[in-house]
């Protein structure tokens, strides 16, 4: 009887150890040091072109609305709860703006065939558990057919629609320079005219110099504006956090 108890205990202990070794634990990676981009594909299921396209779309959306959507794609979450893991990821990477807490995490685990959409507290009133459940149900057929780009693209469009006009970026752009751009040429025109009258300088010569100066100012200003809209001006996600505002998950 004693030997039977010992063997049973050893078997259960071995089973416990083996199960934990197989299950393992998923460690959330450290955020990139330079900047956090929206698409984090650790499983390598998206092409470079698809990553660039999705990044541009989500960066543009965050600039307009301040809402940050992070898509994390991993190979295996080792039995972890996808909802808890996605919320922790959002907390650790501080996704969303500091005072709005308007971050969203879309977590895909390829081997486990699991997906979770989790919200920051600021998103909770607008993107409900039921809403995220409906989104997941719509993209499950795409995920089953390994159409990961299509599923992510569709789900983000659905989120855009649900959050329409709920947030806007309060960061004011310094567009006062445009007033100066229109004020300067008018002022230079009158200054040129009076100088030509007073000093008997040929007006056409002074006017052409003024024209070239204002043309330079215009080109420089609009070139700077174009550059500001470039992705190089993207500082990266992060600064908020406070997740736990609801969401849902499912298998596909």
């Amino acid at each position: 009887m004693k030997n039977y108890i010992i063997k049973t205990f050893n078997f259960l202990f071995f089973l416990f150890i083996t199960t934990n070794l197989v299950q393992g634990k998923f460690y959330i990676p450290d955020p990139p040091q330079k900047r956090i981009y929206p698409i984090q594909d650790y499983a390598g299921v998206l092409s470079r072109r698809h990553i660039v396209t999705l990044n541009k779309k989500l960066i543009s959306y965050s600039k307009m609305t301040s809402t940050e959507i992070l898509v994390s794609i991993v190979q295996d979450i080792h039995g972890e709860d996808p909802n808890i893991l996605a919320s922790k990821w959002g907390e650790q990477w501080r996704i969303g703006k500091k005072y709005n807490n308007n971050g969203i995490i879309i977590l895909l685990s390829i081997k486990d065939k699991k997906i979770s959409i989790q919200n920051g507290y600021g998103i909770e009133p607008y993107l409900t558990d039921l809403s995220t459940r409906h989104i997941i149900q719509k993209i499950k057929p795409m995920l089953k057919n390994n159409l990961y780009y299509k599923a992510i693209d569709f789900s983000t469009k659905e989120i855009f629609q649900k959050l329409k006009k709920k947030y806007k970026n309060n960061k004011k752009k310094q567009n006062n320079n445009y007033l100066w751009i229109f004020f300067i040429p008018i002022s230079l025109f009158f200054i040129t005219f009076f100088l030509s009258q007073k000093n008997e300088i040929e007006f056409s010569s002074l006017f052409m110099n003024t024209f070239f100066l204002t043309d330079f100012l215009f080109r420089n200003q609009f070139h700077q504006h174009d550059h500001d809209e470039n992705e190089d001006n993207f500082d990266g996600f992060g600064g908020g956090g406070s997740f736990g505002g609801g969401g849902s998950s499912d298998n596909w």
Side-chain angles (χ1 to χ4, degrees):
M1 184 68 180
K2 185 178 179 180
N3 289 336
Y4 175 78
I5 294 174
I6 293 173
K7 287 181 180 180
T8 303
F9 174 79
N10 289 337
F11 173 76
L12 292 173
F13 179 75
F14 175 78
L15 184 64
F16 173 78
I17 294 296
T18 305
T19 302
N20 277 273
L21 287 173
V22 172
Q23 185 176 16
K25 184 177 181 180
F26 184 89
Y27 291 94
I28 296 171
D30 293 331
Q33 291 185 353
K34 188 175 181 181
R35 66 187 74 167
I36 299 174
Y37 281 90
I39 303 299
Q40 301 292 322
D41 182 13
Y42 295 96
V45 296
L46 297 176
S47 68
R48 177 61 186 165
R49 181 171 62 87
H50 286 160
I51 291 174
V52 169
T53 301
L54 290 170
N55 272 333
K56 283 183 177 179
K57 183 176 81 166
L58 296 177
I59 288 171
S60 177
Y61 182 72
S62 71
K63 285 182 177 181
M64 290 188 296
T65 65
S66 81
T67 300
E68 298 179 355
I69 302 174
L70 182 80
V71 181
S72 298
I73 309 172
V74 299
Q75 194 65 40
D76 192 339
I77 58 174
H78 303 292
E80 298 272 4
D81 185 313
N83 290 333
I84 295 175
L85 185 59
S87 293
K88 284 183 178 179
W89 202 313
E91 289 274 357
Q92 290 186 26
W93 283 31
R94 302 177 65 196
I95 302 303
K97 296 304 178 188
K98 185 175 182 181
Y99 298 106
N100 290 335
N101 293 313
N102 54 340
I104 301 171
I105 303 293
I106 301 176
L107 174 65
L108 295 173
S109 181
I110 304 304
K111 186 178 178 181
D112 300 295
K113 298 185 182 297
K114 293 180 183 294
I115 178 172
S116 176
I117 302 176
Q118 295 298 307
N119 308 328
Y121 280 111
I123 297 294
E124 185 177 11
Y126 316 117
L127 191 63
T128 64
D129 296 357
L130 184 62
S131 298
T132 55
R133 197 173 299 118
H134 283 165
I135 293 172
I136 290 174
Q137 290 303 313
K138 287 180 180 180
I139 66 173
K140 278 173 67 173
M142 305 175 200
L143 294 171
K144 287 179 180 178
N145 289 296
N146 301 329
L147 301 174
Y148 302 114
Y149 167 76
K150 188 176 180 180
I152 295 167
D153 187 53
F154 182 88
S155 60
T156 52
K157 286 177 181 176
E158 288 285 300
I159 291 172
F160 294 170
Q161 189 62 34
K162 298 291 183 184
L163 299 181
K164 194 173 182 179
K165 297 181 180 179
K166 301 303 180 184
Y167 280 100
K168 64 179 180 179
N169 197 339
N170 293 322
K171 187 178 180 181
K172 296 181 179 179
K173 294 182 179 179
Q174 295 180 351
N175 289 329
N176 293 333
N177 289 336
Y178 287 109
L179 296 176
W180 287 101
I181 288 298
F182 289 103
F183 176 75
I184 288 173
I186 295 172
S187 301
L188 288 175
F189 176 84
F190 283 108
I191 292 171
T192 302
F193 178 78
F194 285 120
L195 285 175
S196 65
Q197 295 297 314
K198 184 176 180 180
N199 299 314
E200 298 181 352
I201 302 172
E202 190 175 349
F203 174 74
S204 61
S205 175
L206 283 172
F207 179 76
M208 288 303 295
N209 289 333
T210 305
F211 172 78
F212 284 119
L213 176 60
T214 54
D215 179 61
F216 169 77
L217 290 171
F218 268 106
R219 281 187 297 162
N220 184 62
Q221 177 64 25
F222 285 109
H223 174 74
Q224 182 65 36
H225 178 71
D226 291 339
H227 178 74
D228 287 345
E229 293 300 316
N230 193 278
E231 191 177 310
D232 292 338
N233 195 44
F234 174 60
D235 295 328
F237 283 178
S242 295
F243 274 73
S248 59
S249 63
D250 204 348
N251 293 358
W252 71 77

